[in-house]
Amino acid sequence: MSKIALLSNVNIDSLKMKLRRNNEIYLPQGYGGWMQEILNETSGLYKFKPEVVVCIPYGNDLMASWESEEDGKDAIDQIFFAFNKLLENLPKANVFIGTLDISKKEIRPICSKRREVFFENYWYESIFELDSERCVPLDIKEIISEYGRDVVYSNKLWYAGSMPFSPKGNSFIAKEINNIIFALEGNRKKCIALDLDNTLWGGVIGEDGLEGIGLSEYKEGARYKDAQKRLKELKDIGVLLCVVSKNNEDDAMDGINKHPSMVLRKDDFVALNINWKTKAENIQDIAQELNIGTDSFVFLDDNPAEREQMKDVLPEVSVVDFPKDVMDLEKTVIDMYKKYFYLYKSTKEDLEKTKMYQAEGERKKIQKKAVTLSDYLKLLEIEIDIHRLEDLEFERVHQLTHKTNQFNLTTIRYSKEELENIKDDENYRIYTVHTRDKYGDNGLVCVVIVHITDDKSAEVETFLMSCRVMGRDIEKVVLSKIMDSLKNDGIKEIKGEYIKTLKNAPVEDFYDKMEFECEYKDENTKKYKKDLSSSLKTEEVYKKIEFRG
Amino acid sequence: MKEFLEFIASVLEVDSSLLNEDSKVGSIEEWDSVAHLTLVVEIEDEYDVEIPSDEIGEYDSVKKLYALIKEK
């Protein structure tokens, strides 16, 4: 449920109809008053306090009053001046700006240069010049290119009600808006579980052999190859890929390693579970190995029986409808991206995710060898680097406050604006923690936000850690270093709080373990304090610990 | 009829229990004159009928719209 304000130069009442079931909608009264609505700071728009503002331009109506290219440029500049104001006036909201589509209606000779294209491009460039973290392009032009103006627009609704878009057009736009909101809320899934036969290639490798499977540069085999290319791009923006296939492992690995047209190779997958167990069991195994929930899996398989079984056994796994005709497989993957993995902006961690999870698998192996926890930690050769938030880390920290569920003591979801304020407030300290070990870099895995409440006391407002590095006592090292540093600054006492959520049971005893004293307790919260005169003891099992306070 | 009412409800994004055979434009808040335009176009698509632009206002009730799709 989001608070969405819709703005347009035309009537978009029917878009409101498509969005209102899942959102609270504000649409200004009257027709075409979007600029006044933005520029008048006491308008209904600002009283509504939207979380998302969606601006939908209808190009043909805008252009109708533009006499020349210069004229149009000025008009577009004015509109973007208003968008800029909108971003300023609503310092927390995300602003979606529709791309411009202008139908070529003016009657002109074939060889005359069309100004519509110029305006569309100028508008498009202007969106990116707004240069705000919160400005999101809403690609209406792309939707129209894909489905066609005959489908997306409706003459009947335009002439009867000044509504340019058809019901179908509105559905497409509404779907895109919902997808982007889903992505912004940090609800992305993490991993795609893929079948092999008739999903990544045509045919059955156990029967047709390496040469017999359908996978090639052109024609039928390219349907699978093109889909693989898109899957590889998903992997490159941080989506994990794994294989769950009923096959002889040797046959299947031959296909993956040796087929000349394979795009995805062994290293692109975080896990290859090729065996005769059920696919649900395999997904559970992989989830455990990678330390992620089964609810972060999306399952792609051509076999309807497998899909049904998955829905039955693991209803939290998202099962994709396989296309009726494989020629649509690539489009299915693109739709999966938009629905489950839409990414606004990538961070360094997103790009290296596959490697990090593969390393996790290696770690699990030595864990089995080690006798005690400290042996294991020594074998890992862990290095911990704790420091104050740096500008480049901002995006990642914001992302972590939104998606960390298990190891998150208070689960405060900060908006960018709030985090920005805290960053600049001298009574707050934001610490970030990076770890690496023998098997690779874990990246930024832990965030601690401390509020200095007065000269003598401080409070841990947020303490969260990525589940990738849980179980290595890193949290204890981090807390002890921060406590030492606070003590040096004259702070006498530190407080901490645990707020219960559906998912953070793993850390309910965190402060007890850290030797804090519980001073209040009810069903949902526990409040703790600790005198800083004594410090926390940590085990000496780490290769290196660095602290810059 | 029941199915038709459910279709109208889905277009208007309301619960079908709010509608009956006697409903028309204005009967419920969600079915205003603007929503009615969208509804007409959706009915045209779904039931393969055509309502000329000039006559949209005349087909303003469940009864009249239902008669039109039954005629087909």
Side-chain angles (χ1 to χ4, degrees):
Chain A
M1 192 84 179
S2 296
K3 289 181 86 174
I4 305 178
L6 299 174
L7 298 175
S8 177
N9 58 318
V10 289
N11 188 344
I12 49 168
D13 245 85
S14 37
L15 180 60
K16 176 181 168 183
M17 286 167 65
K18 302 278 179 195
L19 288 166
R20 72 177 168 218
R21 175 154 293 185
N22 301 315
N23 303 285
E24 193 185 338
I25 305 289
Y26 172 75
L27 182 67
Q29 294 284 316
Y31 178 76
W34 64 336
M35 291 295 123
Q36 293 88 307
E37 195 76 22
I38 293 172
L39 296 172
N40 174 2
E41 285 173 30
T42 59
S43 69
L45 169 67
Y46 298 113
K47 289 195 187 92
F48 177 68
K49 298 197 173 68
E51 292 157 338
V52 173
V53 183
V54 182
C55 304
I56 309 271
Y58 175 48
N60 284 80
D61 195 50
L62 288 172
M63 198 188 77
S65 61
W66 303 342
E67 301 283 338
S68 62
E69 280 194 4
E70 275 313 303
D71 213 19
K73 240 171 108 172
D74 286 348
I76 293 175
D77 285 343
Q78 272 181 28
I79 293 170
F80 276 82
F81 172 81
F83 288 160
N84 215 347
K85 270 265 165 284
L86 179 63
L87 282 158
E88 274 175 27
N89 291 343
L90 291 169
K92 288 185 185 178
N94 286 298
V95 175
F96 298 4
I97 296 179
T99 53
L100 199 61
D101 174 71
I102 310 180
S103 319
K104 294 172 183 176
K105 288 182 175 165
E106 293 177 337
I107 293 172
R108 296 265 190 83
I110 297 167
C111 286
S112 59
K113 192 176 160 195
R114 287 286 188 173
R115 56 194 191 116
E116 293 88 344
V117 181
F118 171 81
F119 294 137
E120 288 174 352
N121 290 339
Y122 189 73
W123 182 282
Y124 189 71
E125 293 294 330
S126 302
I127 296 178
F128 288 89
E129 272 168 28
L130 278 176
D131 192 30
S132 160
E133 291 279 323
R134 293 177 289 112
C135 164
V136 183
L138 174 69
D139 211 342
I140 297 173
K141 175 77 185 166
E142 175 61 26
I143 291 171
I144 292 166
S145 306
E146 190 168 348
Y147 297 97
R149 289 179 178 136
D150 281 350
V151 173
V152 175
Y153 292 125
S154 159
N155 274 337
K156 184 168 274 172
L157 288 176
W158 173 243
Y159 288 116
S162 300
M163 298 189 278
F165 300 110
S166 68
K168 279 207 181 73
N170 281 310
S171 297
F172 296 139
I173 296 170
K175 188 170 153 200
E176 179 72 5
I177 291 171
N178 282 327
N179 284 341
I180 299 177
I181 290 175
F182 183 79
L184 287 172
E185 284 172 348
N187 296 324
R188 299 168 69 217
K189 302 278 173 180
K190 292 187 176 137
C191 185
I192 307 177
L194 296 155
D195 172 45
L196 293 175
D197 292 333
N198 286 315
T199 300
L200 286 191
W201 56 60
V204 176
I205 195 152
E207 288 166 17
D208 304 327
L210 184 60
E211 282 81 32
I213 56 171
L215 189 63
S216 54
E217 300 302 312
Y218 296 103
K219 303 198 49 184
E220 284 84 356
R223 296 173 303 183
Y224 296 97
K225 173 149 191 166
D226 288 341
Q228 283 200 25
K229 284 184 196 161
R230 302 290 88 80
L231 285 165
K232 172 115 176 168
E233 286 161 3
L234 276 170
K235 177 230 148 193
D236 289 339
I237 58 165
V239 175
L240 305 173
L241 306 179
C242 64
V243 167
V244 287
S245 163
K246 289 179 179 162
N247 250 316
N248 283 321
E249 195 173 355
D250 291 345
D251 293 341
M253 290 314 293
D254 257 7
I256 292 171
N257 291 326
K258 294 186 186 151
H259 197 285
S261 295
M262 248 340 248
V263 178
L264 296 168
R265 298 289 189 189
K266 190 174 168 239
D267 283 349
D268 293 314
F269 299 102
V270 287
L272 291 143
N273 284 31
I274 302 160
N275 51 45
W276 301 95
K277 287 205 275 187
T278 69
K279 303 207 172 192
E281 274 179 87
N282 276 313
I283 285 187
Q284 282 172 318
D285 289 349
I286 295 170
Q288 202 171 16
E289 200 175 298
L290 302 178
N291 215 352
I292 60 181
T294 44
D295 59 355
S296 28
F297 279 79
V298 176
F299 179 54
L300 183 68
D301 194 315
D302 66 294
N303 183 339
E306 294 287 0
R307 298 201 297 271
E308 284 314 307
Q309 196 185 16
M310 187 64 70
K311 286 180 197 166
D312 259 8
V313 182
L314 296 177
E316 69 276 22
V317 170
S318 303
V319 177
V320 178
D321 290 331
F322 202 79
K324 285 198 190 73
D325 188 324
V326 186
M327 68 178 187
D328 293 325
L329 188 55
E330 182 187 30
K331 188 175 179 300
T332 301
V333 176
I334 295 170
D335 288 343
M336 276 164 74
Y337 163 58
K338 292 185 180 167
K339 189 161 177 199
Y340 301 115
F341 304 100
Y342 228 1
L343 181 63
Y344 177 48
K345 218 175 177 187
S346 58
T347 64
K348 186 168 153 275
E349 275 74 13
D350 286 328
L351 305 179
E352 309 213 315
K353 211 171 256 179
T354 293
K355 263 194 221 151
M356 290 195 274
Y357 278 94
Q358 282 167 343
E360 184 60 28
E362 294 297 316
R363 288 183 196 103
K364 280 272 152 74
K365 280 178 202 152
I366 70 163
Q367 190 173 9
K368 282 182 191 151
K369 277 191 230 155
V371 186
T372 65
L373 179 65
S374 23
D375 281 348
Y376 167 60
L377 295 178
K378 270 183 205 154
L379 284 171
L380 278 179
E381 299 173 11
I382 300 170
E383 296 173 37
I384 306 172
D385 177 13
I386 308 159
H387 58 255
R388 298 283 279 274
L389 174 71
E390 288 162 11
D391 285 345
L392 275 177
E393 298 168 341
F394 189 82
E395 191 78 26
R396 167 73 176 162
V397 168
H398 177 252
Q399 199 186 45
L400 278 176
T401 62
H402 280 262
K403 68 179 201 185
T404 310
N405 297 317
Q406 290 187 46
F407 196 119
N408 196 338
L409 285 153
T410 50
T411 320
I412 300 173
R413 309 292 195 201
Y414 298 90
S415 71
K416 282 195 180 155
E417 182 69 14
E418 285 163 340
L419 208 53
E420 198 72 67
N421 290 340
I422 288 177
K423 190 184 87 175
D424 297 335
D425 187 333
E426 56 180 28
N427 291 320
Y428 279 89
R429 296 182 184 180
I430 306 180
Y431 295 95
T432 64
V433 182
H434 295 249
T435 66
R436 54 174 302 127
D437 62 37
K438 182 164 160 184
Y439 296 102
D441 201 337
N442 298 115
L444 200 173
V445 289
C446 170
V447 177
V448 185
I449 301 179
V450 177
H451 182 196
I452 314 286
T453 39
D454 60 58
D455 299 352
K456 296 213 162 57
S457 43
E459 196 174 336
V460 180
E461 187 175 289
T462 283
F463 197 126
L464 64 84
M465 199 166 77
S466 159
C467 46
R468 285 209 292 271
V469 296
M470 267 163 76
R472 299 183 196 170
D473 277 352
I474 289 169
E475 59 276 20
K476 197 165 186 184
V477 175
V478 172
L479 189 61
S480 88
K481 290 289 171 191
I482 291 174
M483 280 165 48
D484 289 349
S485 155
L486 291 169
K487 187 179 164 189
N488 282 341
D489 295 337
I491 308 283
K492 302 280 181 237
E493 187 184 64
I494 184 164
K495 291 186 172 186
E497 190 176 7
Y498 167 77
I499 302 172
K500 189 173 172 180
T501 67
L502 285 174
K503 289 190 164 171
N504 71 352
V507 291
E508 61 182 342
D509 297 328
F510 173 79
Y511 284 115
D512 301 298
K513 285 181 193 152
M514 298 297 126
E515 298 156 27
F516 277 52
E517 184 188 327
C518 186
E519 50 174 8
Y520 173 82
K521 189 173 175 178
D522 65 29
E523 228 169 82
N524 296 312
T525 53
K526 288 194 269 182
K527 292 185 179 175
Y528 293 86
K529 67 173 183 188
K530 184 173 171 64
D531 187 339
L532 284 178
S533 57
S534 63
S535 41
L536 263 184
K537 273 224 159 56
T538 55
E539 285 203 68
E540 288 178 9
V541 290
Y542 305 97
K543 194 176 162 200
K544 196 168 149 194
I545 300 171
E546 204 163 318
F547 181 84
R548 283 167 285 146
Chain B
M1 184 55 144
K2 187 165 171 274
E3 206 177 291
F4 184 58
L5 285 174
E6 266 163 24
F7 178 74
I8 296 178
S10 74
V11 174
L12 298 173
E13 295 275 343
V14 297
D15 199 280
S16 62
S17 64
L18 292 171
L19 297 168
N20 58 50
E21 281 178 46
D22 297 321
S23 304
K24 55 183 187 177
V25 180
S27 305
I28 54 169
E29 192 194 336
E30 289 83 357
W31 191 356
D32 59 12
S33 60
V34 182
H36 183 62
L37 295 175
T38 305
L39 177 63
V40 164
V41 175
E42 297 250 26
I43 289 173
E44 286 182 335
D45 282 354
E46 178 75 17
Y47 297 94
D48 198 20
V49 293
E50 187 110 15
I51 301 174
S53 305
D54 294 335
E55 294 168 26
I56 293 174
E58 289 168 32
Y59 291 92
D60 62 350
S61 65
V62 170
K63 278 208 181 86
K64 287 177 189 164
L65 289 164
Y66 190 66
L68 180 78
I69 64 160
K70 278 292 140 196
E71 211 173 278
K72 158 102 188 160

